mmCIF file of all heavy atoms in Angstrom:
data_model
loop_
_atom_site.group_PDB
_atom_site.id
_atom_site.type_symbol
_atom_site.label_atom_id
_atom_site.label_comp_id
_atom_site.label_asym_id
_atom_site.label_seq_id
_atom_site.Cartn_x
_atom_site.Cartn_y
_atom_site.Cartn_z
ATOM 1 N N TYR A 824 108.392 66.533 160.003
ATOM 2 C CA TYR A 824 109.779 66.747 160.373
ATOM 3 C C TYR A 824 110.314 67.903 159.538
ATOM 4 O O TYR A 824 110.014 68.004 158.347
ATOM 5 C CB TYR A 824 110.613 65.490 160.103
ATOM 6 C CG TYR A 824 110.011 64.243 160.703
ATOM 7 C CD1 TYR A 824 109.075 63.506 160.003
ATOM 8 C CD2 TYR A 824 110.374 63.819 161.975
ATOM 9 C CE1 TYR A 824 108.499 62.375 160.552
ATOM 10 C CE2 TYR A 824 109.808 62.689 162.537
ATOM 11 C CZ TYR A 824 108.872 61.970 161.819
ATOM 12 O OH TYR A 824 108.304 60.850 162.370
ATOM 13 N N TYR A 825 111.127 68.762 160.166
ATOM 14 C CA TYR A 825 111.613 69.954 159.493
ATOM 15 C C TYR A 825 113.098 70.160 159.703
ATOM 16 O O TYR A 825 113.634 69.852 160.773
ATOM 17 C CB TYR A 825 110.880 71.189 160.008
ATOM 18 C CG TYR A 825 109.402 71.190 159.724
ATOM 19 C CD1 TYR A 825 108.495 70.740 160.674
ATOM 20 C CD2 TYR A 825 108.923 71.639 158.506
ATOM 21 C CE1 TYR A 825 107.133 70.742 160.411
ATOM 22 C CE2 TYR A 825 107.561 71.644 158.235
ATOM 23 C CZ TYR A 825 106.674 71.190 159.193
ATOM 24 O OH TYR A 825 105.324 71.196 158.926
ATOM 25 N N SER A 826 113.741 70.717 158.693
ATOM 26 C CA SER A 826 115.098 71.189 158.863
ATOM 27 C C SER A 826 115.100 72.340 159.858
ATOM 28 O O SER A 826 114.296 73.273 159.724
ATOM 29 C CB SER A 826 115.660 71.666 157.528
ATOM 30 O OG SER A 826 116.872 72.362 157.706
ATOM 31 N N PRO A 827 115.980 72.294 160.856
ATOM 32 C CA PRO A 827 116.002 73.393 161.827
ATOM 33 C C PRO A 827 116.189 74.772 161.199
ATOM 34 O O PRO A 827 115.617 75.751 161.690
ATOM 35 C CB PRO A 827 117.184 73.032 162.732
ATOM 36 C CG PRO A 827 117.269 71.540 162.641
ATOM 37 C CD PRO A 827 116.914 71.228 161.217
ATOM 38 N N SER A 828 116.967 74.852 160.141
ATOM 39 C CA SER A 828 117.245 76.137 159.519
ATOM 40 C C SER A 828 116.056 76.716 158.774
ATOM 41 O O SER A 828 116.036 77.908 158.467
ATOM 42 C CB SER A 828 118.439 76.020 158.577
ATOM 43 O OG SER A 828 118.150 75.159 157.489
ATOM 44 N N LEU A 829 115.079 75.906 158.475
ATOM 45 C CA LEU A 829 113.928 76.346 157.703
ATOM 46 C C LEU A 829 112.610 76.227 158.450
ATOM 47 O O LEU A 829 111.581 76.680 157.952
ATOM 48 C CB LEU A 829 113.826 75.544 156.402
ATOM 49 C CG LEU A 829 114.976 75.694 155.413
ATOM 50 C CD1 LEU A 829 114.864 74.643 154.323
ATOM 51 C CD2 LEU A 829 114.981 77.092 154.813
ATOM 52 N N LYS A 830 112.636 75.643 159.614
ATOM 53 C CA LYS A 830 111.410 75.318 160.322
ATOM 54 C C LYS A 830 110.500 76.513 160.534
ATOM 55 O O LYS A 830 109.269 76.397 160.427
ATOM 56 C CB LYS A 830 111.738 74.664 161.665
ATOM 57 C CG LYS A 830 110.524 74.211 162.446
ATOM 58 C CD LYS A 830 110.923 73.493 163.717
ATOM 59 C CE LYS A 830 109.703 73.009 164.485
ATOM 60 N NZ LYS A 830 110.084 72.288 165.722
ATOM 61 N N SER A 831 111.092 77.661 160.829
ATOM 62 C CA SER A 831 110.287 78.822 161.171
ATOM 63 C C SER A 831 109.409 79.301 160.025
ATOM 64 O O SER A 831 108.414 79.989 160.246
ATOM 65 C CB SER A 831 111.175 79.971 161.648
ATOM 66 O OG SER A 831 112.008 80.441 160.609
ATOM 67 N N ARG A 832 109.773 78.968 158.805
ATOM 68 C CA ARG A 832 108.988 79.441 157.677
ATOM 69 C C ARG A 832 108.571 78.317 156.737
ATOM 70 O O ARG A 832 108.221 78.558 155.583
ATOM 71 C CB ARG A 832 109.731 80.538 156.922
ATOM 72 C CG ARG A 832 111.076 80.163 156.374
ATOM 73 C CD ARG A 832 111.820 81.420 155.889
ATOM 74 N NE ARG A 832 113.062 81.068 155.219
ATOM 75 C CZ ARG A 832 113.225 80.994 153.914
ATOM 76 N NH1 ARG A 832 112.212 81.263 153.099
ATOM 77 N NH2 ARG A 832 114.405 80.666 153.404
ATOM 78 N N THR A 833 108.599 77.100 157.215
ATOM 79 C CA THR A 833 108.251 75.944 156.399
ATOM 80 C C THR A 833 107.087 75.188 157.008
ATOM 81 O O THR A 833 107.016 75.018 158.225
ATOM 82 C CB THR A 833 109.451 74.995 156.262
ATOM 83 O OG1 THR A 833 110.554 75.705 155.684
ATOM 84 C CG2 THR A 833 109.109 73.810 155.363
ATOM 85 N N SER A 834 106.211 74.742 156.159
ATOM 86 C CA SER A 834 105.115 73.886 156.592
ATOM 87 C C SER A 834 104.900 72.797 155.556
ATOM 88 O O SER A 834 104.878 73.075 154.355
ATOM 89 C CB SER A 834 103.834 74.697 156.777
ATOM 90 O OG SER A 834 102.761 73.865 157.176
ATOM 91 N N ILE A 835 104.775 71.579 156.016
ATOM 92 C CA ILE A 835 104.467 70.465 155.133
ATOM 93 C C ILE A 835 103.131 69.876 155.557
ATOM 94 O O ILE A 835 102.845 69.733 156.748
ATOM 95 C CB ILE A 835 105.598 69.408 155.132
ATOM 96 C CG1 ILE A 835 105.365 68.371 154.024
ATOM 97 C CG2 ILE A 835 105.751 68.739 156.491
ATOM 98 C CD1 ILE A 835 106.582 67.488 153.750
ATOM 99 N N SER A 836 102.326 69.564 154.591
ATOM 100 C CA SER A 836 101.000 69.032 154.868
ATOM 101 C C SER A 836 100.624 68.027 153.791
ATOM 102 O O SER A 836 101.362 67.845 152.812
ATOM 103 C CB SER A 836 99.963 70.160 154.934
ATOM 104 O OG SER A 836 99.906 70.861 153.704
ATOM 105 N N ARG A 837 99.488 67.389 153.967
ATOM 106 C CA ARG A 837 99.067 66.411 152.979
ATOM 107 C C ARG A 837 97.561 66.429 152.787
ATOM 108 O O ARG A 837 96.807 66.872 153.650
ATOM 109 C CB ARG A 837 99.523 65.009 153.377
ATOM 110 C CG ARG A 837 98.827 64.461 154.614
ATOM 111 C CD ARG A 837 99.368 63.099 154.984
ATOM 112 N NE ARG A 837 98.660 62.527 156.121
ATOM 113 C CZ ARG A 837 98.899 61.326 156.622
ATOM 114 N NH1 ARG A 837 99.855 60.562 156.100
ATOM 115 N NH2 ARG A 837 98.196 60.888 157.664
ATOM 116 N N ASP A 838 97.169 65.946 151.648
ATOM 117 C CA ASP A 838 95.771 65.744 151.323
ATOM 118 C C ASP A 838 95.653 64.276 150.943
ATOM 119 O O ASP A 838 96.002 63.891 149.822
ATOM 120 C CB ASP A 838 95.342 66.670 150.187
ATOM 121 C CG ASP A 838 93.866 66.586 149.879
ATOM 122 O OD1 ASP A 838 93.246 65.534 150.123
ATOM 123 O OD2 ASP A 838 93.311 67.586 149.378
ATOM 124 N N THR A 839 95.203 63.474 151.858
ATOM 125 C CA THR A 839 95.179 62.040 151.609
ATOM 126 C C THR A 839 94.174 61.653 150.529
ATOM 127 O O THR A 839 94.385 60.681 149.805
ATOM 128 C CB THR A 839 94.878 61.265 152.897
ATOM 129 O OG1 THR A 839 93.624 61.687 153.444
ATOM 130 C CG2 THR A 839 95.975 61.496 153.922
ATOM 131 N N ALA A 840 93.110 62.407 150.410
ATOM 132 C CA ALA A 840 92.119 62.108 149.386
ATOM 133 C C ALA A 840 92.695 62.274 147.987
ATOM 134 O O ALA A 840 92.326 61.549 147.062
ATOM 135 C CB ALA A 840 90.883 62.978 149.562
ATOM 136 N N LYS A 841 93.588 63.236 147.836
ATOM 137 C CA LYS A 841 94.221 63.489 146.548
ATOM 138 C C LYS A 841 95.566 62.793 146.410
ATOM 139 O O LYS A 841 96.184 62.867 145.350
ATOM 140 C CB LYS A 841 94.404 64.989 146.336
ATOM 141 C CG LYS A 841 93.100 65.762 146.244
ATOM 142 C CD LYS A 841 93.370 67.241 146.019
ATOM 143 C CE LYS A 841 92.076 68.022 145.895
ATOM 144 N NZ LYS A 841 92.328 69.479 145.692
ATOM 145 N N ASN A 842 96.022 62.160 147.477
ATOM 146 C CA ASN A 842 97.329 61.523 147.504
ATOM 147 C C ASN A 842 98.427 62.527 147.134
ATOM 148 O O ASN A 842 99.301 62.260 146.309
ATOM 149 C CB ASN A 842 97.376 60.309 146.573
ATOM 150 C CG ASN A 842 98.294 59.218 147.096
ATOM 151 O OD1 ASN A 842 98.382 58.974 148.300
ATOM 152 N ND2 ASN A 842 98.982 58.530 146.183
ATOM 153 N N GLN A 843 98.365 63.671 147.786
ATOM 154 C CA GLN A 843 99.306 64.742 147.542
ATOM 155 C C GLN A 843 99.879 65.246 148.856
ATOM 156 O O GLN A 843 99.219 65.172 149.894
ATOM 157 C CB GLN A 843 98.629 65.922 146.840
ATOM 158 C CG GLN A 843 98.106 65.629 145.445
ATOM 159 C CD GLN A 843 97.362 66.812 144.864
ATOM 160 O OE1 GLN A 843 96.741 67.599 145.582
ATOM 161 N NE2 GLN A 843 97.415 66.953 143.544
ATOM 162 N N PHE A 844 101.081 65.769 148.782
ATOM 163 C CA PHE A 844 101.611 66.511 149.910
ATOM 164 C C PHE A 844 102.198 67.816 149.408
ATOM 165 O O PHE A 844 102.626 67.926 148.268
ATOM 166 C CB PHE A 844 102.602 65.691 150.750
ATOM 167 C CG PHE A 844 103.848 65.241 150.037
ATOM 168 C CD1 PHE A 844 105.046 65.914 150.239
ATOM 169 C CD2 PHE A 844 103.844 64.132 149.204
ATOM 170 C CE1 PHE A 844 106.212 65.487 149.625
ATOM 171 C CE2 PHE A 844 105.000 63.696 148.588
ATOM 172 C CZ PHE A 844 106.185 64.375 148.795
ATOM 173 N N THR A 845 102.181 68.806 150.286
ATOM 174 C CA THR A 845 102.457 70.175 149.893
ATOM 175 C C THR A 845 103.509 70.801 150.793
ATOM 176 O O THR A 845 103.512 70.578 152.003
ATOM 177 C CB THR A 845 101.171 71.011 149.942
ATOM 178 O OG1 THR A 845 100.246 70.501 148.981
ATOM 179 C CG2 THR A 845 101.449 72.477 149.629
ATOM 180 N N LEU A 846 104.363 71.574 150.178
ATOM 181 C CA LEU A 846 105.344 72.379 150.897
ATOM 182 C C LEU A 846 104.936 73.834 150.811
ATOM 183 O O LEU A 846 104.648 74.336 149.727
ATOM 184 C CB LEU A 846 106.733 72.206 150.279
ATOM 185 C CG LEU A 846 107.836 73.097 150.856
ATOM 186 C CD1 LEU A 846 108.265 72.587 152.224
ATOM 187 C CD2 LEU A 846 109.025 73.158 149.907
ATOM 188 N N GLN A 847 104.929 74.498 151.940
ATOM 189 C CA GLN A 847 104.711 75.935 151.982
ATOM 190 C C GLN A 847 105.945 76.586 152.584
ATOM 191 O O GLN A 847 106.353 76.226 153.695
ATOM 192 C CB GLN A 847 103.476 76.276 152.800
ATOM 193 C CG GLN A 847 103.099 77.737 152.780
ATOM 194 C CD GLN A 847 101.791 78.001 152.078
ATOM 195 O OE1 GLN A 847 101.751 78.755 151.096
ATOM 196 N NE2 GLN A 847 100.728 77.388 152.553
ATOM 197 N N LEU A 848 106.526 77.511 151.848
ATOM 198 C CA LEU A 848 107.695 78.229 152.302
ATOM 199 C C LEU A 848 107.367 79.707 152.277
ATOM 200 O O LEU A 848 107.101 80.275 151.216
ATOM 201 C CB LEU A 848 108.897 77.932 151.402
ATOM 202 C CG LEU A 848 110.232 78.578 151.787
ATOM 203 C CD1 LEU A 848 110.740 78.017 153.108
ATOM 204 C CD2 LEU A 848 111.268 78.350 150.684
ATOM 205 N N SER A 849 107.357 80.320 153.430
ATOM 206 C CA SER A 849 106.968 81.710 153.543
ATOM 207 C C SER A 849 108.172 82.633 153.444
ATOM 208 O O SER A 849 109.319 82.219 153.580
ATOM 209 C CB SER A 849 106.220 81.951 154.863
ATOM 210 O OG SER A 849 107.074 81.742 155.969
ATOM 211 N N SER A 850 107.882 83.915 153.216
ATOM 212 C CA SER A 850 108.908 84.964 153.210
ATOM 213 C C SER A 850 110.109 84.603 152.362
ATOM 214 O O SER A 850 111.257 84.673 152.807
ATOM 215 C CB SER A 850 109.334 85.274 154.650
ATOM 216 O OG SER A 850 108.239 85.670 155.437
ATOM 217 N N VAL A 851 109.862 84.238 151.140
ATOM 218 C CA VAL A 851 110.956 83.787 150.287
ATOM 219 C C VAL A 851 111.864 84.943 149.892
ATOM 220 O O VAL A 851 111.465 86.105 149.864
ATOM 221 C CB VAL A 851 110.440 83.061 149.032
ATOM 222 C CG1 VAL A 851 109.628 81.839 149.432
ATOM 223 C CG2 VAL A 851 109.634 83.995 148.142
ATOM 224 N N ALA A 852 113.097 84.590 149.594
ATOM 225 C CA ALA A 852 114.124 85.521 149.181
ATOM 226 C C ALA A 852 114.861 84.928 147.987
ATOM 227 O O ALA A 852 114.702 83.743 147.680
ATOM 228 C CB ALA A 852 115.093 85.784 150.333
ATOM 229 N N PRO A 853 115.664 85.721 147.288
ATOM 230 C CA PRO A 853 116.409 85.159 146.154
ATOM 231 C C PRO A 853 117.228 83.924 146.495
ATOM 232 O O PRO A 853 117.432 83.070 145.628
ATOM 233 C CB PRO A 853 117.305 86.328 145.726
ATOM 234 C CG PRO A 853 116.515 87.538 146.086
ATOM 235 C CD PRO A 853 115.831 87.185 147.376
ATOM 236 N N GLU A 854 117.683 83.818 147.732
ATOM 237 C CA GLU A 854 118.451 82.656 148.162
ATOM 238 C C GLU A 854 117.632 81.369 148.159
ATOM 239 O O GLU A 854 118.197 80.279 148.261
ATOM 240 C CB GLU A 854 119.028 82.893 149.560
ATOM 241 C CG GLU A 854 120.098 83.990 149.615
ATOM 242 C CD GLU A 854 119.531 85.398 149.480
ATOM 243 O OE1 GLU A 854 118.374 85.627 149.903
ATOM 244 O OE2 GLU A 854 120.243 86.262 148.947
ATOM 245 N N ASP A 855 116.331 81.485 148.058
ATOM 246 C CA ASP A 855 115.470 80.312 147.960
ATOM 247 C C ASP A 855 115.336 79.799 146.530
ATOM 248 O O ASP A 855 114.671 78.785 146.300
ATOM 249 C CB ASP A 855 114.082 80.625 148.528
ATOM 250 C CG ASP A 855 114.113 80.879 150.018
ATOM 251 O OD1 ASP A 855 114.721 80.057 150.750
ATOM 252 O OD2 ASP A 855 113.549 81.904 150.461
#
């Protein structure tokens, strides 16, 4: 699930073996 305002440059994923989840935010700017 994604915030509409960030969806275009956001990806969330998981690694179940490591019990981790990751956020990827592309094209970052100072406002981030």
Side-chain angles (χ1 to χ4, degrees):
Y824 309 87
Y825 297 95
S826 169
S828 65
L829 297 169
K830 183 176 181 179
S831 66
R832 59 191 186 99
T833 302
S834 179
I835 190 167
S836 60
R837 68 182 183 178
D838 185 333
T839 58
K841 296 181 179 179
N842 213 37
Q843 296 176 329
F844 62 102
T845 296
L846 175 75
Q847 186 113 239
L848 182 66
S849 65
S850 302
V851 300
E854 293 73 30
D855 293 311

